[in-house]
Amino acid sequence: MANLNRRDALKLGALASGSLLLPISCQSRSYAKDAGSPQVRPFTQQLRIPPVLSPVRSDDTTDYYEVTMRRATVEILPGLKTEIWGYNGIAPGPTIKQRRDRQSVVRFINNSVGTPTSVHLHGMASLPQYDGYAEDFTNPGQYKDYIYPNNRPATLWYHDHALHNTARNVYMGLAGLYLVYDDLELGLPLPKNEYDVPLVIQDKQFSSRGSLIFDDQGEKSQMGDVILVNGVPWPNMKVANRKYRFRILNGSASRSYNLSLSTSEPFTIIGTDAGLVGAPVQVSNFRIGMAERYEVIIDFSKYKVGTKIVVHNDHPDNNIEYDGTDRIMQFEVVRTESDPSSIPPNLRDYQPIAESLAVRTREFRYERSNGLWVINGKTWDIQRFDANPQLGDVEIWRIFNNSGGWFHPIHIHLIDMQLLDRDGKPPFAYERGWKDVFYVGENESLRVIGRFGPNTGAYMSHCHNTVHEDHDMMNQFMVGTGGPDPITTAPAQPLPAPPL
Ligand SMILES: [Cu+2]
């Protein structure tokens, strides 16, 4: 069925002017069949789990890791070769697992990726010089040692953040998971180890020969017609008939998802971007914007061996739908097993921040103006700060999406915040936890609240549609005064690097 939205209309316009890389059929949903990526039969490849990275050495306080960014050729679509840009040459990159309050030093080496990079560990309260500032470049032939305090147990991810090239760099593969655990969480009876599974969802488009196509439609959005989970198109995962914990990250450039299960089995939400919620909540479906993380328990115990359960995507507004983007992956129950895990009624102490604690409210209007993506009418300028909360201040930020036809997931670096309301209405049940990305739908306004700290200095805030972020829907705030300069304090160093 034709399902023409504003984006499709734009694409048709672009087609008429001959400026598109690919022909687009009038029936947008038949794109994949007629002219899109090579066809893949869903659920024929098995899910892979990114490998866990071992430290190169450890001492009493710190684990030292080394990651090399490089181009690699891999097989994503059966029988075709695809060049990716990966951390250690894989996409997603290796997973770093770390204990709370141990320190990590991660050496990111820009070896053969051929473009300037900057690494942001999304969700970590890093010092400004280790936060992956957009202009804190590590050029080819350089490396940089990033220091991370690991002060929050949560599902984090590291990804490229280089000015004007973030969307392409992340799309080509520069993204990986970083999981922080603490004793409190490990002491809970939740599913653990091989039953604690990360799922990174991304959409891609490929040429007929298998190359990744990055086409941001004139700095608007990069939408793919192939859904990858952990780098595998529409994978199948063999599971036992028991509970699993899934850490779901939307690692897409521009696509959001609304996930549900074909059996109408509910998800039990146990975590948001910044870790466990106070108490589990059951939902039949949930929406996840780019860079958001939700942790869910799925209980397969009621299913017979042989049952197949499909994760569906009921397209949220303002995405482009193709054949195949209405489903994500499949679970296949293949064995019976006992299940020692359970979901405790209380997961961790979670207190809403009282609005009365806020010392001020700021307003940020995200919109499209004269062909530019702007915040309060302005594009990125590293010389300009749009907010200066003092260390420890509680502030309410009111985030407006004034652009019809688009949604914007807004990411605020450094701090974890809470969503107070959306258009004056309470947040969805699954959004009631600590978060660092907030889904601002078409013409919506959100109020979020947070306490600024623990660091002083400069931090970025931006739309996590990385195409919008690149052009140039990003600004910065300064916490307190006199923090370390993000660019000059710990600049990248020339290779070869001395031993860690
Ligand atoms: Cu946006």
Side-chain angles (χ1 to χ4, degrees), residues 273-307:
D273 305 334
L276 294 176
V277 295
V281 55
Q282 285 203 343
V283 297
S284 59
N285 62 286
F286 64 96
R287 186 176 67 178
I288 181 166
M290 295 81 79
E292 283 188 293
R293 288 88 74 206
Y294 286 107
E295 300 192 29
V296 306
I297 304 284
I298 303 178
D299 187 352
F300 299 107
S301 64
K302 70 165 71 153
Y303 300 110
K304 289 201 198 81
V305 168
T307 306

Side-chain angles (χ1 to χ4, degrees), residues 190-191 245-246 268-272 275-281 294-297 343 347:
L190 295 167
R245 172 181 184 168
F246 295 102
T268 303
I269 302 276
I270 60 163
T272 48
L276 294 176
V277 295
V281 55
Y294 286 107
E295 300 192 29
V296 306
I297 304 284
I343 309 172
L347 295 166

